[in-house]
Amino acid sequence: MSARTINILVGILFSLSGCFTLLDGIYNTRASNLFIGVCFVVVGCLYFVRKRERQ
């Protein structure tokens, strides 16, 4: 696998884990899970966009 492919997969996995954590936070009404989910989604999107712009 190339480095570009791995970077894209890492960004996607961060975003997916953030979405699942957000859903868990909404379902269980836990503020901590909502905050962690939002952070994961933001990190995943920033990582994906940053790596994509560099190459």
Side-chain angles (χ1 to χ4, degrees):
M1 290 180 114
S2 68
R4 181 175 182 238
T5 305
I6 292 172
N7 291 336
I8 291 171
L9 287 175
V10 168
I12 291 171
L13 289 176
F14 262 113
S15 298
L16 282 177
S17 65
C19 289
F20 287 128
T21 307
L22 270 173
L23 289 175
D24 182 49
I26 291 169
Y27 181 70
N28 293 322
T29 61
R30 292 186 179 163
S32 62
N33 285 3
L34 290 172
F35 180 71
I36 292 169
V38 169
C39 290
F40 274 2
V41 169
V42 169
V43 167
C45 290
L46 288 176
Y47 192 84
F48 180 70
V49 170
R50 184 176 145 238
K51 294 296 180 180
R52 192 172 175 198
E53 286 178 358
R54 289 175 107 189
Q55 297 180 8

Short mmCIF file of all heavy atoms in Angstrom, two decimals:
data_model
loop_
_atom_site.label_atom_id
_atom_site.label_comp_id
_atom_site.label_asym_id
_atom_site.label_seq_id
_atom_site.Cartn_x
_atom_site.Cartn_y
_atom_site.Cartn_z
N MET A 1 0.84 -1.18 0.00
CA MET A 1 0.00 0.00 0.00
C MET A 1 0.88 1.24 0.00
O MET A 1 1.90 1.28 0.68
CB MET A 1 -0.89 0.04 1.23
CG MET A 1 -1.97 -0.99 1.26
SD MET A 1 -2.92 -0.79 2.78
CE MET A 1 -4.46 -0.31 2.11
N SER A 2 0.43 2.21 -0.71
CA SER A 2 1.17 3.47 -0.73
C SER A 2 0.81 4.32 0.48
O SER A 2 -0.19 4.10 1.16
CB SER A 2 0.85 4.23 -2.02
OG SER A 2 -0.48 4.66 -2.01
N ALA A 3 1.66 5.30 0.74
CA ALA A 3 1.43 6.19 1.88
C ALA A 3 0.14 6.98 1.70
O ALA A 3 -0.57 7.26 2.67
CB ALA A 3 2.61 7.12 2.06
N ARG A 4 -0.17 7.34 0.48
CA ARG A 4 -1.40 8.11 0.20
C ARG A 4 -2.64 7.31 0.56
O ARG A 4 -3.59 7.83 1.17
CB ARG A 4 -1.42 8.51 -1.27
CG ARG A 4 -2.63 9.32 -1.63
CD ARG A 4 -2.54 9.80 -3.07
NE ARG A 4 -3.68 10.62 -3.37
CZ ARG A 4 -4.54 10.36 -4.35
NH1 ARG A 4 -4.34 9.32 -5.14
NH2 ARG A 4 -5.56 11.14 -4.56
N THR A 5 -2.64 6.04 0.22
CA THR A 5 -3.78 5.18 0.52
C THR A 5 -3.96 5.02 2.03
O THR A 5 -5.08 5.09 2.55
CB THR A 5 -3.59 3.80 -0.12
OG1 THR A 5 -3.36 3.96 -1.51
CG2 THR A 5 -4.80 2.92 0.09
N ILE A 6 -2.86 4.85 2.74
CA ILE A 6 -2.93 4.70 4.19
C ILE A 6 -3.44 5.98 4.83
O ILE A 6 -4.27 5.95 5.75
CB ILE A 6 -1.54 4.31 4.75
CG1 ILE A 6 -1.20 2.88 4.29
CG2 ILE A 6 -1.53 4.39 6.27
CD1 ILE A 6 0.20 2.45 4.60
N ASN A 7 -2.99 7.14 4.34
CA ASN A 7 -3.46 8.41 4.89
C ASN A 7 -4.96 8.60 4.68
O ASN A 7 -5.66 9.08 5.56
CB ASN A 7 -2.70 9.58 4.26
CG ASN A 7 -1.26 9.61 4.69
OD1 ASN A 7 -0.90 9.10 5.74
ND2 ASN A 7 -0.41 10.22 3.89
N ILE A 8 -5.44 8.22 3.52
CA ILE A 8 -6.88 8.32 3.24
C ILE A 8 -7.66 7.39 4.16
O ILE A 8 -8.69 7.78 4.72
CB ILE A 8 -7.16 8.02 1.76
CG1 ILE A 8 -6.61 9.15 0.88
CG2 ILE A 8 -8.64 7.83 1.50
CD1 ILE A 8 -6.64 8.86 -0.60
N LEU A 9 -7.17 6.17 4.34
CA LEU A 9 -7.86 5.22 5.21
C LEU A 9 -7.90 5.69 6.66
O LEU A 9 -8.91 5.54 7.35
CB LEU A 9 -7.19 3.85 5.12
CG LEU A 9 -7.43 3.07 3.84
CD1 LEU A 9 -6.62 1.79 3.84
CD2 LEU A 9 -8.91 2.75 3.68
N VAL A 10 -6.81 6.28 7.14
CA VAL A 10 -6.77 6.78 8.51
C VAL A 10 -7.80 7.90 8.69
O VAL A 10 -8.53 7.94 9.68
CB VAL A 10 -5.35 7.27 8.88
CG1 VAL A 10 -5.35 8.06 10.16
CG2 VAL A 10 -4.41 6.09 8.97
N GLY A 11 -7.88 8.81 7.74
CA GLY A 11 -8.87 9.88 7.82
C GLY A 11 -10.29 9.36 7.82
O GLY A 11 -11.14 9.82 8.59
N ILE A 12 -10.55 8.38 6.98
CA ILE A 12 -11.90 7.80 6.91
C ILE A 12 -12.24 7.06 8.20
O ILE A 12 -13.35 7.16 8.71
CB ILE A 12 -12.01 6.87 5.68
CG1 ILE A 12 -11.98 7.70 4.40
CG2 ILE A 12 -13.26 6.01 5.74
CD1 ILE A 12 -11.87 6.89 3.13
N LEU A 13 -11.28 6.31 8.75
CA LEU A 13 -11.54 5.56 9.97
C LEU A 13 -11.78 6.48 11.17
O LEU A 13 -12.63 6.20 12.01
CB LEU A 13 -10.39 4.59 10.26
CG LEU A 13 -10.31 3.40 9.30
CD1 LEU A 13 -9.08 2.57 9.61
CD2 LEU A 13 -11.56 2.56 9.39
N PHE A 14 -11.03 7.59 11.25
CA PHE A 14 -11.28 8.57 12.32
C PHE A 14 -12.70 9.12 12.19
O PHE A 14 -13.43 9.25 13.17
CB PHE A 14 -10.28 9.72 12.26
CG PHE A 14 -9.14 9.58 13.21
CD1 PHE A 14 -7.86 9.39 12.74
CD2 PHE A 14 -9.34 9.67 14.57
CE1 PHE A 14 -6.80 9.27 13.60
CE2 PHE A 14 -8.29 9.56 15.45
CZ PHE A 14 -7.00 9.35 14.96
N SER A 15 -13.10 9.45 10.97
CA SER A 15 -14.44 10.00 10.76
C SER A 15 -15.53 8.99 11.10
O SER A 15 -16.54 9.33 11.72
CB SER A 15 -14.60 10.47 9.32
OG SER A 15 -13.67 11.49 9.04
N LEU A 16 -15.34 7.75 10.69
CA LEU A 16 -16.33 6.72 11.00
C LEU A 16 -16.45 6.46 12.50
O LEU A 16 -17.55 6.33 13.03
CB LEU A 16 -15.98 5.41 10.28
CG LEU A 16 -16.31 5.35 8.80
CD1 LEU A 16 -15.83 4.03 8.22
CD2 LEU A 16 -17.81 5.49 8.60
N SER A 17 -15.31 6.39 13.17
CA SER A 17 -15.37 6.17 14.62
C SER A 17 -16.03 7.35 15.32
O SER A 17 -16.76 7.17 16.29
CB SER A 17 -13.98 5.91 15.20
OG SER A 17 -13.17 7.06 15.07
N GLY A 18 -15.81 8.55 14.81
CA GLY A 18 -16.47 9.72 15.36
C GLY A 18 -17.97 9.68 15.15
O GLY A 18 -18.75 10.03 16.06
N CYS A 19 -18.40 9.23 13.99
CA CYS A 19 -19.84 9.12 13.72
C CYS A 19 -20.50 8.10 14.65
O CYS A 19 -21.58 8.35 15.19
CB CYS A 19 -20.07 8.73 12.27
SG CYS A 19 -19.69 10.04 11.10
N PHE A 20 -19.85 6.95 14.85
CA PHE A 20 -20.41 5.94 15.75
C PHE A 20 -20.44 6.43 17.19
O PHE A 20 -21.39 6.17 17.92
CB PHE A 20 -19.63 4.62 15.65
CG PHE A 20 -19.90 3.87 14.39
CD1 PHE A 20 -18.86 3.44 13.59
CD2 PHE A 20 -21.20 3.59 13.99
CE1 PHE A 20 -19.10 2.74 12.43
CE2 PHE A 20 -21.46 2.90 12.82
CZ PHE A 20 -20.40 2.47 12.04
N THR A 21 -19.41 7.17 17.60
CA THR A 21 -19.40 7.71 18.96
C THR A 21 -20.48 8.77 19.12
O THR A 21 -21.12 8.86 20.17
CB THR A 21 -18.01 8.29 19.29
OG1 THR A 21 -17.01 7.31 19.01
CG2 THR A 21 -17.91 8.69 20.74
N LEU A 22 -20.68 9.58 18.08
CA LEU A 22 -21.77 10.57 18.12
C LEU A 22 -23.12 9.89 18.26
O LEU A 22 -23.97 10.32 19.06
CB LEU A 22 -21.76 11.42 16.86
CG LEU A 22 -20.93 12.68 16.88
CD1 LEU A 22 -20.90 13.31 15.50
CD2 LEU A 22 -21.49 13.66 17.88
N LEU A 23 -23.34 8.85 17.49
CA LEU A 23 -24.61 8.12 17.58
C LEU A 23 -24.79 7.51 18.96
O LEU A 23 -25.90 7.53 19.51
CB LEU A 23 -24.67 7.03 16.50
CG LEU A 23 -24.83 7.53 15.07
CD1 LEU A 23 -24.77 6.35 14.10
CD2 LEU A 23 -26.13 8.28 14.92
N ASP A 24 -23.72 6.97 19.53
CA ASP A 24 -23.80 6.42 20.88
C ASP A 24 -24.11 7.52 21.89
O ASP A 24 -24.89 7.31 22.81
CB ASP A 24 -22.49 5.72 21.23
CG ASP A 24 -22.53 5.08 22.60
OD1 ASP A 24 -23.51 4.37 22.88
OD2 ASP A 24 -21.58 5.31 23.38
N GLY A 25 -23.51 8.67 21.72
CA GLY A 25 -23.77 9.79 22.62
C GLY A 25 -25.19 10.29 22.53
O GLY A 25 -25.81 10.65 23.53
N ILE A 26 -25.75 10.31 21.32
CA ILE A 26 -27.13 10.74 21.13
C ILE A 26 -28.09 9.69 21.72
O ILE A 26 -29.05 10.04 22.40
CB ILE A 26 -27.42 10.97 19.64
CG1 ILE A 26 -26.66 12.20 19.15
CG2 ILE A 26 -28.91 11.13 19.39
CD1 ILE A 26 -26.66 12.38 17.63
N TYR A 27 -27.79 8.42 21.48
CA TYR A 27 -28.67 7.36 21.96
C TYR A 27 -28.68 7.28 23.48
O TYR A 27 -29.72 7.08 24.10
CB TYR A 27 -28.23 6.02 21.36
CG TYR A 27 -29.09 4.86 21.76
CD1 TYR A 27 -30.39 4.74 21.27
CD2 TYR A 27 -28.62 3.88 22.63
CE1 TYR A 27 -31.18 3.68 21.65
CE2 TYR A 27 -29.39 2.82 23.00
CZ TYR A 27 -30.68 2.72 22.51
OH TYR A 27 -31.47 1.67 22.88
N ASN A 28 -27.51 7.43 24.11
CA ASN A 28 -27.40 7.32 25.57
C ASN A 28 -27.42 8.67 26.27
O ASN A 28 -27.28 8.72 27.49
CB ASN A 28 -26.13 6.57 25.96
CG ASN A 28 -26.17 5.13 25.52
OD1 ASN A 28 -27.21 4.49 25.60
ND2 ASN A 28 -25.05 4.61 25.06
N THR A 29 -27.57 9.73 25.54
CA THR A 29 -27.57 11.11 26.05
C THR A 29 -26.39 11.38 26.99
O THR A 29 -26.56 11.81 28.12
CB THR A 29 -28.89 11.47 26.75
OG1 THR A 29 -29.09 10.61 27.86
CG2 THR A 29 -30.06 11.39 25.80
N ARG A 30 -25.21 11.10 26.50
CA ARG A 30 -23.99 11.37 27.26
C ARG A 30 -23.21 12.48 26.58
O ARG A 30 -22.83 12.38 25.41
CB ARG A 30 -23.11 10.13 27.35
CG ARG A 30 -23.72 9.04 28.17
CD ARG A 30 -22.77 7.90 28.36
NE ARG A 30 -23.38 6.88 29.18
CZ ARG A 30 -22.92 5.66 29.25
NH1 ARG A 30 -21.86 5.30 28.57
NH2 ARG A 30 -23.52 4.79 30.01
N ALA A 31 -22.97 13.54 27.31
CA ALA A 31 -22.26 14.69 26.75
C ALA A 31 -20.82 14.35 26.41
O ALA A 31 -20.27 14.85 25.43
CB ALA A 31 -22.30 15.85 27.73
N SER A 32 -20.20 13.48 27.19
CA SER A 32 -18.80 13.12 26.92
C SER A 32 -18.67 12.40 25.57
O SER A 32 -17.73 12.66 24.81
CB SER A 32 -18.24 12.25 28.04
OG SER A 32 -18.96 11.04 28.14
N ASN A 33 -19.59 11.50 25.28
CA ASN A 33 -19.54 10.80 23.99
C ASN A 33 -19.82 11.75 22.84
O ASN A 33 -19.24 11.59 21.76
CB ASN A 33 -20.53 9.65 23.98
CG ASN A 33 -20.06 8.48 24.79
OD1 ASN A 33 -19.02 8.53 25.43
ND2 ASN A 33 -20.83 7.42 24.79
N LEU A 34 -20.70 12.71 23.04
CA LEU A 34 -20.95 13.69 21.99
C LEU A 34 -19.69 14.50 21.70
O LEU A 34 -19.33 14.71 20.54
CB LEU A 34 -22.09 14.62 22.40
CG LEU A 34 -23.48 14.01 22.44
CD1 LEU A 34 -24.47 15.00 23.05
CD2 LEU A 34 -23.91 13.61 21.05
N PHE A 35 -19.01 14.95 22.75
CA PHE A 35 -17.80 15.74 22.59
C PHE A 35 -16.69 14.93 21.91
O PHE A 35 -16.03 15.40 20.99
CB PHE A 35 -17.32 16.26 23.95
CG PHE A 35 -16.08 17.08 23.87
CD1 PHE A 35 -16.11 18.34 23.31
CD2 PHE A 35 -14.88 16.59 24.35
CE1 PHE A 35 -14.96 19.10 23.23
CE2 PHE A 35 -13.73 17.33 24.28
CZ PHE A 35 -13.76 18.60 23.72
N ILE A 36 -16.49 13.70 22.36
CA ILE A 36 -15.46 12.84 21.77
C ILE A 36 -15.79 12.54 20.31
O ILE A 36 -14.91 12.54 19.45
CB ILE A 36 -15.32 11.54 22.58
CG1 ILE A 36 -14.73 11.85 23.95
CG2 ILE A 36 -14.46 10.52 21.86
CD1 ILE A 36 -14.78 10.70 24.93
N GLY A 37 -17.05 12.30 20.00
CA GLY A 37 -17.46 12.04 18.62
C GLY A 37 -17.20 13.22 17.72
O GLY A 37 -16.70 13.06 16.60
N VAL A 38 -17.53 14.41 18.18
CA VAL A 38 -17.27 15.61 17.38
C VAL A 38 -15.78 15.79 17.16
O VAL A 38 -15.34 16.10 16.05
CB VAL A 38 -17.89 16.86 18.07
CG1 VAL A 38 -17.40 18.13 17.42
CG2 VAL A 38 -19.40 16.79 18.02
N CYS A 39 -14.99 15.56 18.19
CA CYS A 39 -13.53 15.69 18.05
C CYS A 39 -12.98 14.68 17.05
O CYS A 39 -12.13 15.04 16.22
CB CYS A 39 -12.85 15.51 19.40
SG CYS A 39 -13.14 16.87 20.53
N PHE A 40 -13.43 13.44 17.10
CA PHE A 40 -12.96 12.43 16.14
C PHE A 40 -13.32 12.80 14.71
O PHE A 40 -12.52 12.64 13.80
CB PHE A 40 -13.53 11.06 16.49
CG PHE A 40 -12.73 10.29 17.49
CD1 PHE A 40 -11.60 10.81 18.07
CD2 PHE A 40 -13.13 9.02 17.87
CE1 PHE A 40 -10.88 10.10 18.99
CE2 PHE A 40 -12.41 8.29 18.79
CZ PHE A 40 -11.28 8.83 19.35
N VAL A 41 -14.54 13.28 14.51
CA VAL A 41 -14.96 13.66 13.16
C VAL A 41 -14.11 14.82 12.65
O VAL A 41 -13.64 14.80 11.50
CB VAL A 41 -16.46 14.01 13.13
CG1 VAL A 41 -16.84 14.66 11.82
CG2 VAL A 41 -17.29 12.78 13.38
N VAL A 42 -13.86 15.80 13.49
CA VAL A 42 -13.06 16.96 13.08
C VAL A 42 -11.63 16.53 12.77
O VAL A 42 -11.06 16.93 11.75
CB VAL A 42 -13.09 18.06 14.17
CG1 VAL A 42 -12.06 19.13 13.90
CG2 VAL A 42 -14.48 18.67 14.23
N VAL A 43 -11.04 15.71 13.63
CA VAL A 43 -9.67 15.25 13.39
C VAL A 43 -9.59 14.43 12.10
O VAL A 43 -8.66 14.60 11.30
CB VAL A 43 -9.15 14.43 14.59
CG1 VAL A 43 -7.87 13.69 14.25
CG2 VAL A 43 -8.92 15.33 15.78
N GLY A 44 -10.55 13.56 11.90
CA GLY A 44 -10.55 12.75 10.68
C GLY A 44 -10.68 13.60 9.43
O GLY A 44 -9.97 13.39 8.44
N CYS A 45 -11.56 14.59 9.46
CA CYS A 45 -11.73 15.46 8.30
C CYS A 45 -10.48 16.32 8.06
O CYS A 45 -10.05 16.47 6.92
CB CYS A 45 -12.95 16.35 8.48
SG CYS A 45 -14.49 15.45 8.39
N LEU A 46 -9.92 16.86 9.12
CA LEU A 46 -8.72 17.67 8.96
C LEU A 46 -7.55 16.83 8.47
O LEU A 46 -6.77 17.27 7.62
CB LEU A 46 -8.36 18.35 10.28
CG LEU A 46 -9.26 19.48 10.72
CD1 LEU A 46 -8.82 19.98 12.10
CD2 LEU A 46 -9.24 20.62 9.72
N TYR A 47 -7.41 15.63 9.00
CA TYR A 47 -6.33 14.76 8.57
C TYR A 47 -6.49 14.39 7.10
O TYR A 47 -5.54 14.43 6.33
CB TYR A 47 -6.31 13.50 9.43
CG TYR A 47 -5.07 12.67 9.26
CD1 TYR A 47 -3.92 12.96 9.98
CD2 TYR A 47 -5.03 11.61 8.37
CE1 TYR A 47 -2.78 12.20 9.82
CE2 TYR A 47 -3.90 10.85 8.20
CZ TYR A 47 -2.78 11.16 8.93
OH TYR A 47 -1.64 10.41 8.77
N PHE A 48 -7.70 14.07 6.70
CA PHE A 48 -7.95 13.69 5.31
C PHE A 48 -7.71 14.86 4.37
O PHE A 48 -7.06 14.72 3.35
CB PHE A 48 -9.39 13.18 5.17
CG PHE A 48 -9.75 12.77 3.78
CD1 PHE A 48 -9.20 11.63 3.23
CD2 PHE A 48 -10.64 13.50 3.04
CE1 PHE A 48 -9.53 11.24 1.95
CE2 PHE A 48 -10.97 13.13 1.75
CZ PHE A 48 -10.42 12.00 1.21
N VAL A 49 -8.20 16.04 4.71
CA VAL A 49 -8.04 17.22 3.86
C VAL A 49 -6.58 17.65 3.81
O VAL A 49 -6.04 17.96 2.75
CB VAL A 49 -8.93 18.38 4.36
CG1 VAL A 49 -8.60 19.68 3.66
CG2 VAL A 49 -10.39 18.04 4.15
N ARG A 50 -5.90 17.65 4.95
CA ARG A 50 -4.50 18.07 5.00
C ARG A 50 -3.63 17.15 4.15
O ARG A 50 -2.81 17.60 3.37
CB ARG A 50 -4.01 18.05 6.44
CG ARG A 50 -2.60 18.56 6.56
CD ARG A 50 -2.18 18.62 8.04
NE ARG A 50 -0.79 18.29 8.09
CZ ARG A 50 -0.26 17.31 8.78
NH1 ARG A 50 -1.02 16.55 9.51
NH2 ARG A 50 1.02 17.09 8.76
N LYS A 51 -3.80 15.87 4.30
CA LYS A 51 -3.00 14.91 3.53
C LYS A 51 -3.35 14.98 2.05
O LYS A 51 -2.52 14.80 1.20
CB LYS A 51 -3.20 13.50 4.06
CG LYS A 51 -2.68 13.30 5.45
CD LYS A 51 -1.19 13.49 5.50
CE LYS A 51 -0.69 13.27 6.91
NZ LYS A 51 0.75 13.44 7.03
N ARG A 52 -4.61 15.25 1.76
CA ARG A 52 -5.03 15.30 0.37
C ARG A 52 -4.47 16.54 -0.33
O ARG A 52 -4.06 16.46 -1.49
CB ARG A 52 -6.56 15.33 0.32
CG ARG A 52 -7.11 15.10 -1.03
CD ARG A 52 -8.61 14.93 -0.97
NE ARG A 52 -9.16 14.83 -2.29
CZ ARG A 52 -10.41 15.01 -2.58
NH1 ARG A 52 -11.25 15.26 -1.62
NH2 ARG A 52 -10.83 14.91 -3.80
N GLU A 53 -4.40 17.67 0.36
CA GLU A 53 -3.89 18.90 -0.24
C GLU A 53 -2.38 18.81 -0.46
O GLU A 53 -1.88 19.38 -1.41
CB GLU A 53 -4.20 20.10 0.66
CG GLU A 53 -5.65 20.51 0.60
CD GLU A 53 -5.94 21.67 1.53
OE1 GLU A 53 -5.03 22.13 2.23
OE2 GLU A 53 -7.10 22.11 1.53
N ARG A 54 -1.66 18.13 0.41
CA ARG A 54 -0.22 18.03 0.29
C ARG A 54 0.20 17.27 -0.95
O ARG A 54 1.24 17.50 -1.51
CB ARG A 54 0.38 17.37 1.52
CG ARG A 54 0.34 18.23 2.74
CD ARG A 54 0.82 17.45 3.91
NE ARG A 54 2.14 17.90 4.30
CZ ARG A 54 2.89 17.29 5.19
NH1 ARG A 54 2.44 16.20 5.77
NH2 ARG A 54 4.07 17.77 5.52
N GLN A 55 -0.60 16.28 -1.35
CA GLN A 55 -0.18 15.41 -2.45
C GLN A 55 -0.86 15.75 -3.71
O GLN A 55 -1.23 16.43 -4.33
CB GLN A 55 -0.48 13.98 -2.11
CG GLN A 55 0.31 13.55 -0.92
CD GLN A 55 0.03 12.11 -0.55
OE1 GLN A 55 -0.66 11.39 -1.27
NE2 GLN A 55 0.55 11.68 0.56
#
